[in-house]
Amino acid sequence: MTECGLWISAGDHQNNKGNSNNNSLWRFSNESEHDLALMVSDFLENNGGSAGADSWCSSDSESSFSDLIHLADKISYHKHSVCQYDLDLLSVVHSLILSMAETDLHYVKSGPCNASCIRYYLVKLLRLSGYDAAVCVSKWQRTGKVPGGDHEYIDVVNYNNGNLERLIIDIDFRSHFEIARAVDSYDQILNSLPVVYVGSWTRLKQLLQLMVEAARSSLKQNSMPFPPWRSLAYLQAKWQSPYQRQIAPLEHNISGGNVSSGHKQCKGHLRRLQPSLLSELEAERLLKPINIDNTRRLKHERARRSSFRAL
């Protein structure tokens, strides 16, 4: 497999290579982790350390429960409102992930991999299946109250009648929304999200907006402040920031040997990912008629609101 790395501005897939100034700006370092650690420390010290300590509860208030259930309906609508190409790609991604064995990950990258081996191996399988797939490594600087950071995900570029469509694949999607002391209904909403997100940036942005609302409601019920790393701006930065597209790790090694010791994290991730995916697929199979009814109901409500606005 050949190595490839290219920095691309989010929303512009015309593959313009960055200059030396951009390279220095986006060179990997510990700066983003340091920024986030300082922001968390400052937040806890100033206004988040003791908030909610005496008022924490896992149950919902009546009005907030209604709000969160409404958000759950919206999430279900956006989760299932996908085109045929997205559905086909989702099915392929599920099949490829479930077909992976831990030993497959040993030959992706030498040394510690921070669970990225699953992404690179999935990209390899997708490319063998005919998809223009790559691992995208995004990085952004701190702006105002939004901490800097970096993120790794997969994209698939689809060329359709001269039009370019970029689909995003995130294999650890739910982890972005885990919060402390969540109320029961928030946990239900979290578990209603796809285990692996596959779809457009537009649909992803809608899910992010809904999850920020849900997190804000859950934290408010426990009198806990809303931290900046839970903000919509921080979440959007993960997938909307300039990114480097790679089809193989920069330190690629397929020499074999005893490399399993450096892959504890990716093997542990795979052991959690596959059962979670199987559980989701089984739940989707059992709930399919209910999901269809909910989607129809939400479409009917939207059409009704539009007709009222027209009057």
Side-chain angles (χ1 to χ4, degrees), residues 28 69 82 91 98 110 147 150 173 185 194 241 249:
F28 280 95
I69 292 301
V82 295
S91 178
L98 293 174
S110 62
D150 51 68
F173 189 55
S185 57
S241 297

Side-chain angles (χ1 to χ4, degrees), residues 78-90:
H78 291 301
K79 180 180 177 180
H80 298 98
S81 297
V82 295
C83 67
Q84 190 59 48
Y85 182 85
D86 292 24
L87 285 173
D88 293 341
L89 178 59
L90 178 65

Side-chain angles (χ1 to χ4, degrees), residues 12-114:
D12 177 13
H13 199 82
Q14 297 306 312
N15 291 10
N16 297 315
K17 291 188 177 181
N19 56 33
S20 58
N21 293 330
N22 287 335
N23 289 337
S24 63
L25 174 63
W26 298 108
R27 186 179 297 115
F28 280 95
S29 67
N30 294 322
E31 291 178 6
S32 60
E33 292 182 9
H34 182 64
D35 282 350
L36 182 56
L38 285 177
M39 183 161 288
V40 171
S41 176
D42 180 68
F43 180 81
L44 293 176
E45 188 174 311
N46 289 295
N47 61 357
S50 60
D54 297 325
S55 61
W56 173 72
C57 63
S58 63
S59 58
D60 301 87
S61 67
E62 188 173 338
S63 60
S64 296
F65 177 78
S66 177
D67 292 341
L68 287 171
I69 292 301
H70 183 59
L71 291 174
D73 286 342
K74 287 185 175 180
I75 287 173
S76 178
Y77 173 79
H78 291 301
K79 180 180 177 180
H80 298 98
S81 297
V82 295
C83 67
Q84 190 59 48
Y85 182 85
D86 292 24
L87 285 173
D88 293 341
L89 178 59
L90 178 65
S91 178
V92 170
V93 169
H94 286 172
S95 297
L96 293 178
I97 290 175
L98 293 174
S99 72
M100 289 183 186
E102 293 179 16
T103 52
D104 295 328
L105 307 178
H106 296 174
Y107 303 95
V108 176
K109 183 180 180 183
S110 62
C113 67
N114 300 320

Side-chain angles (χ1 to χ4, degrees), residues 229-267:
W229 58 90
R230 298 296 180 192
S231 68
L232 181 60
Y234 182 76
L235 288 174
Q236 288 182 340
K238 294 182 179 184
W239 297 278
Q240 201 176 22
S241 297
Y243 58 93
Q244 186 181 37
R245 205 165 187 259
Q246 300 173 177
I247 60 174
L250 295 179
E251 297 178 357
H252 186 59
N253 185 347
I254 57 172
S255 59
N258 184 21
V259 296
S260 61
S261 59
H263 292 261
K264 290 182 179 179
Q265 193 169 347
C266 65
K267 290 194 291 185

Side-chain angles (χ1 to χ4, degrees), residues 113-276:
C113 67
N114 300 320
S116 63
C117 290
I118 300 175
R119 297 184 190 92
Y120 282 106
Y121 189 62
L122 180 56
V123 162
K124 176 183 177 180
L125 297 178
L126 284 168
R127 294 183 74 87
L128 289 172
S129 300
Y131 292 96
D132 181 2
V135 171
C136 298
V137 186
S138 65
K139 191 174 178 69
W140 63 96
Q141 293 182 313
R142 176 174 177 171
T143 55
K145 293 184 178 181
V146 180
D150 51 68
H151 182 52
E152 236 183 47
Y153 60 96
I154 295 170
D155 77 351
V156 171
V157 179
N158 179 35
Y159 303 91
N160 185 17
N161 296 326
N163 296 319
L164 182 149
E165 182 185 21
R166 182 171 176 258
L167 298 180
I168 292 169
I169 301 173
D170 197 297
I171 65 171
D172 197 17
F173 189 55
R174 292 178 183 175
S175 68
H176 300 289
F177 311 103
E178 294 171 349
I179 62 174
R181 301 177 179 179
V183 295
D184 292 338
S185 57
Y186 182 84
D187 283 335
Q188 293 173 16
I189 290 176
L190 181 64
N191 290 329
S192 74
L193 289 173
V195 173
V196 176
Y197 177 79
V198 177
S200 66
W201 162 245
T202 300
R203 189 160 63 91
L204 174 58
K205 185 165 60 174
Q206 292 167 335
L207 290 176
L208 296 181
Q209 291 170 340
L210 292 171
M211 288 308 298
V212 168
E213 289 183 49
R216 192 184 299 275
S217 176
S218 178
L219 291 168
K220 184 178 179 181
Q221 288 185 67
N222 286 320
S223 302
M224 296 175 68
F226 190 77
W229 58 90
R230 298 296 180 192
S231 68
L232 181 60
Y234 182 76
L235 288 174
Q236 288 182 340
K238 294 182 179 184
W239 297 278
Q240 201 176 22
S241 297
Y243 58 93
Q244 186 181 37
R245 205 165 187 259
Q246 300 173 177
I247 60 174
L250 295 179
E251 297 178 357
H252 186 59
N253 185 347
I254 57 172
S255 59
N258 184 21
V259 296
S260 61
S261 59
H263 292 261
K264 290 182 179 179
Q265 193 169 347
C266 65
K267 290 194 291 185
H269 187 188
L270 187 62
R271 289 170 189 165
R272 295 188 301 273
L273 177 59
Q274 289 177 330
S276 297

